[in-house]
Amino acid sequence: MSSNARFISIEGVEGVGKTTNLKYIQQFFSDNGIPLYCTREPGGTPRAEEIRNLLLHKNGEQINRMTELLLMFAARTQHIAAVIKPALARGEWVLCDRFTDSSFAYQGGGRGIPMEIIEGLTSLVLEGFKPDFTILLDLPVNLGLARAQTRGEKDRFEQEDMAFFERVRSVFLARAKASPDRYCIIDTTPALAEVQRELHRVLSEYVLNS
């Protein structure tokens, strides 16, 4: 068992290139022979994926913002217990597409739920557990939404307006500024090759030196 397994999350608003860069990160780990378990939120387990479907797809019933927040944390509780902690215990690094920072950004910043409520849930559910390292892919909201237009049918979150995503981005950046030891902000405005050169530098420094 490896003793240096770490938990990495990747965050960002719509259109920043998470899907493409997640694949790049997976390839980086593979190229370096480091075991990696990839997962996502909401989701990651069969039950949590069912919750994901409730959250992302419209079915005619409006989801209350507190219901949304509680469902996010219900899925997260299952995800941590059934997937993330066991993978780390096996000595695998874990890469997660979104984690608790997204709850602060989307339900806190986007929906306007008081941050102290989210802090309370975080304390109750996570009991101090958090990513060791968070990569925040950042891009002006107007550029991100323009890129996201090419992805086809939008889910319930992707249908929100620009003001919603401006609030989301603001919270992501504020949280990164408040904890610079955990976060790395990567500007995804440049061409993909340049973004991935920076990502390679960051991963080499963090992963290979752990």
Side-chain angles (χ1 to χ4, degrees):
M1 176 184 296
S2 172
S3 62
N4 70 338
R6 299 286 186 270
F7 176 27
I8 300 175
S9 61
I10 185 166
E11 301 280 5
V13 298
E14 269 57 36
V16 295
K18 278 195 302 92
T19 300
T20 300
N21 287 299
L22 278 162
K23 292 177 182 176
Y24 181 85
I25 296 171
Q26 288 177 268
Q27 189 61 51
F28 176 90
F29 274 83
S30 177
D31 289 346
N32 286 281
I34 301 170
L36 178 69
Y37 189 97
C38 295
T39 188
R40 68 179 183 178
E41 287 213 342
T45 79
R47 291 299 187 196
E49 288 291 331
E50 290 180 19
I51 296 175
R52 179 186 180 89
N53 286 332
L54 289 174
L55 286 164
L56 266 59
H57 301 121
K58 288 191 172 183
N59 64 358
E61 180 181 357
Q62 184 70 29
I63 298 180
N64 176 273
R65 64 179 188 169
M66 284 300 299
T67 303
E68 180 179 283
L69 177 67
L70 292 169
L71 285 171
M72 288 287 186
F73 273 91
R76 184 165 296 133
T77 304
Q78 185 68 12
H79 191 205
I80 293 169
V83 169
I84 297 175
K85 286 186 175 180
L88 292 170
R90 293 192 302 267
E92 297 177 63
W93 287 64
V94 175
L95 175 64
C96 191
D97 180 356
R98 300 200 182 281
F99 198 64
T100 310
D101 290 299
S102 277
S103 291
F104 284 95
Y106 282 80
Q107 284 73 55
R111 303 290 189 217
I113 295 176
M115 295 297 179
E116 56 267 27
I117 292 177
I118 305 175
E119 290 280 7
L121 277 171
T122 300
S123 178
L124 175 68
V125 171
L126 274 67
E127 299 179 323
F129 182 74
K130 62 183 178 181
D132 297 294
F133 190 57
T134 296
I135 297 170
L136 175 59
L137 302 179
D138 184 56
L139 183 70
V141 168
N142 62 319
L143 296 180
L145 293 182
R147 291 180 182 180
Q149 291 293 329
T150 64
R151 296 196 305 218
E153 186 178 355
K154 296 179 180 179
D155 65 33
R156 199 171 61 84
F157 287 95
E158 292 169 342
Q159 294 176 27
E160 295 293 341
D161 61 19
M162 188 173 293
F164 175 91
F165 291 112
E166 291 286 5
R167 296 192 299 272
V168 169
R169 183 190 184 209
S170 178
V171 172
F172 274 137
L173 291 173
R175 288 180 65 77
K177 183 178 179 180
S179 300
D181 55 325
R182 176 164 73 88
Y183 290 82
C184 173
I185 302 174
I186 295 181
D187 179 12
T188 62
T189 306
L192 180 60
E194 184 176 338
V195 171
Q196 292 187 337
R197 277 196 295 272
E198 176 63 9
L199 192 52
H200 187 277
R201 184 193 67 78
V202 168
L203 291 169
S204 296
E205 183 176 310
Y206 182 74
V207 177
L208 302 183
N209 292 328
S210 292

